[in-house]
Amino acid sequence: MSLIHLLSLVLLYPTYATASGGFVAYGDFNCQEQKLDVWSDGVTVPDSTLRTDYSIKDWNSHAGGHYYENLTFSEAVKTNHTLDEAPIQVVWWKLEEVDRTCQYVIMKDSPRGWQVLNKLPGDEIVRASREGCYYSALRPGDNLITSFCCGQDDCAIVEIEKQHVTNPKDTTTGEAPKCSIVNSYSSTPTVEDGPQIGITRSQGCEAPPACSHSVSESQSFSTAVSHFQSYTWTSETGFEATFESGVDFLVDDRSHAGISYSIGQSFMDETGTTLTVGNITSSSEGSRQVPGTYAFYSFTPQYNCWKADVSCGKDKDGNEMILKDVNFCQPIISTSGDAAGTFRMVYVSDG
């Protein structure tokens, strides 16, 4: 069971600000004639509606969304296409009664569960800011997560097509301490999903044959240090060091002297790896878009991740600064140079 599901069961009587609107399942592209019965883990979903009653900001209680596990749909049309050699069904989602200052999202849960490098609880497959009928292709038994956000600042996290890797945050005053691994939890890495990256611009598709997407600009992703706790201390030499909670992507900058880079270097020494930067280019896989929709194409890279406790020197009182449960992640690159990961079409509002 994923962390998202566990968190969803913690509070039986939560109180949340709820954005009006939900996603109603239909079998026809107009979302008018064929309403589908929906089951989640064998229980009927009321009104065939996936509710948007938990927001992106509801991390402490529901990990950023409402989790629907093991979904099945009555009479959904099967397509000739397959995902990972499994038959897929077409489900159209009717969104109505929306607040135009908000965005409403359907995400697909990762088969690997918790995603240490993703600020969202899953991969977006639908993101809508207006009423409409939105396409999805699903396997029987898929897990979906619904969420919403309101306002430009809160919704920045869902604008994945504008995402770019940035330099690591460096809030250290003075020379960063040299860090070293003091407790490694496993010599074998786990496979984790990275952040979903939009690799084409949104476009419309008016009529058959279905429109195609090809990658026109290279998008990069790189080695990362993931951490969920912040630390601030004054070192023995008198300067303040800060290690902020989050994910730092270590771009190829050998002169960088921040703590995150020092931690990354300690993991590289421990695992025998080097700083890796992967690229998704025009030679990457392409995909077709369903007629009558707007969409962009995305890629979610996979990472090999190691977890360890890291020592970054001593504070002014002589206490060793141990940073707990730090994750170090390297992009998985095949021998052919291609990045491992998942391509998805993300269906969005027009315009």
Side-chain angles (χ1 to χ4, degrees):
M1 185 181 295
S2 74
L3 177 61
I4 297 168
H5 193 202
L6 288 172
L7 287 172
S8 296
L9 298 176
V10 170
L11 298 181
L12 296 179
Y13 302 101
T15 301
Y16 298 101
T18 303
S20 62
F23 290 97
V24 186
Y26 279 84
D28 63 290
F29 72 94
N30 288 320
C31 293
Q32 293 180 352
E33 299 178 359
Q34 189 186 356
K35 192 173 182 179
L36 302 176
D37 292 329
V38 184
W39 290 268
S40 176
D41 226 9
V43 178
T44 302
V45 176
D47 300 321
S48 302
T49 301
L50 303 192
R51 296 188 57 79
T52 54
D53 46 4
Y54 305 135
S55 81
I56 291 293
K57 296 195 297 182
D58 287 328
W59 275 104
N60 292 336
S61 56
H62 285 80
H66 190 137
Y67 191 89
Y68 290 92
E69 189 173 30
N70 189 23
L71 284 166
T72 54
F73 305 88
S74 69
E75 301 177 357
V77 175
K78 292 183 173 61
T79 76
N80 294 326
H81 301 289
T82 61
L83 292 174
D84 299 336
E85 299 182 355
I88 60 175
Q89 295 176 300
V90 171
V91 180
W92 293 85
W93 299 100
K94 184 177 184 179
L95 180 66
E96 53 188 7
E97 299 180 11
V98 302
D99 181 338
R100 287 296 186 96
T101 67
C102 300
Q103 296 199 56
Y104 303 80
V105 184
I106 299 178
M107 291 169 279
K108 192 169 183 181
D109 189 24
S110 165
R112 278 160 292 284
W114 187 245
Q115 303 176 29
V116 299
L117 299 183
N118 200 345
K119 294 179 180 179
L120 294 172
D123 274 357
E124 294 180 21
I125 58 172
V126 172
R127 189 182 74 230
S129 58
R130 63 186 67 185
E131 296 178 3
C133 188
Y134 298 90
Y135 173 89
S136 69
L138 303 169
R139 301 184 192 90
D142 270 343
N143 303 328
L144 297 182
I145 306 159
T146 58
S147 191
F148 73 93
C149 60
C150 300
Q152 184 174 356
D153 290 342
D154 287 345
C155 289
I157 190 175
V158 304
E159 300 287 349
I160 59 176
E161 69 271 32
K162 297 178 181 177
Q163 176 179 316
H164 295 283
V165 173
T166 59
N167 288 322
K169 297 183 294 290
D170 183 7
T171 55
T172 303
T173 301
E175 184 180 357
K178 183 174 177 58
C179 301
S180 60
I181 304 297
V182 293
N183 179 28
S184 181
Y185 292 94
S186 175
S187 59
T188 303
T190 59
V191 177
E192 303 285 354
D193 285 339
Q196 188 179 11
I197 303 169
I199 55 177
T200 67
R201 296 182 183 277
S202 176
Q203 66 181 38
C205 180
E206 295 184 358
C211 306
S212 62
H213 284 245
S214 59
V215 183
S216 59
E217 296 179 4
S218 177
Q219 294 276 357
S220 64
F221 53 97
S222 63
T223 298
V225 170
S226 175
H227 41 102
F228 301 99
Q229 187 172 349
S230 297
Y231 298 84
T232 300
W233 71 97
T234 302
S235 71
E236 286 184 306
T237 57
F239 67 84
E240 285 198 357
T242 299
F243 184 62
E244 296 180 353
S245 173
V247 179
D248 293 329
F249 290 90
L250 308 183
V251 295
D252 195 4
D253 180 4
R254 298 294 179 180
S255 65
H256 187 80
I259 294 176
S260 293
Y261 200 95
S262 178
I263 291 171
Q265 188 61 59
S266 69
F267 271 99
M268 284 183 260
D269 293 341
E270 177 82 4
T271 59
T273 60
T274 58
L275 193 73
T276 301
V277 177
N279 290 288
I280 310 160
T281 66
S282 57
S283 62
S284 298
E285 177 182 336
S287 185
R288 293 181 181 179
Q289 177 183 344
V290 173
T293 63
Y294 282 77
F296 65 89
Y297 202 38
S298 73
F299 179 71
T300 302
Q302 290 179 357
Y303 282 77
N304 281 325
C305 295
W306 295 261
K307 184 188 293 290
D309 296 340
V310 181
S311 172
C312 289
K314 297 181 179 180
D315 64 17
K316 63 180 180 180
D317 298 320
N319 300 312
E320 188 176 13
M321 287 303 305
I322 304 295
L323 283 54
K324 297 285 188 178
D325 298 338
V326 178
N327 295 280
F328 169 78
C329 300
Q330 292 278 28
I332 300 176
I333 308 295
S334 69
T335 54
S336 65
D338 296 323
T342 304
F343 290 91
R344 296 191 194 281
M345 196 69 72
V346 182
Y347 288 89
V348 295
S349 303
D350 59 335

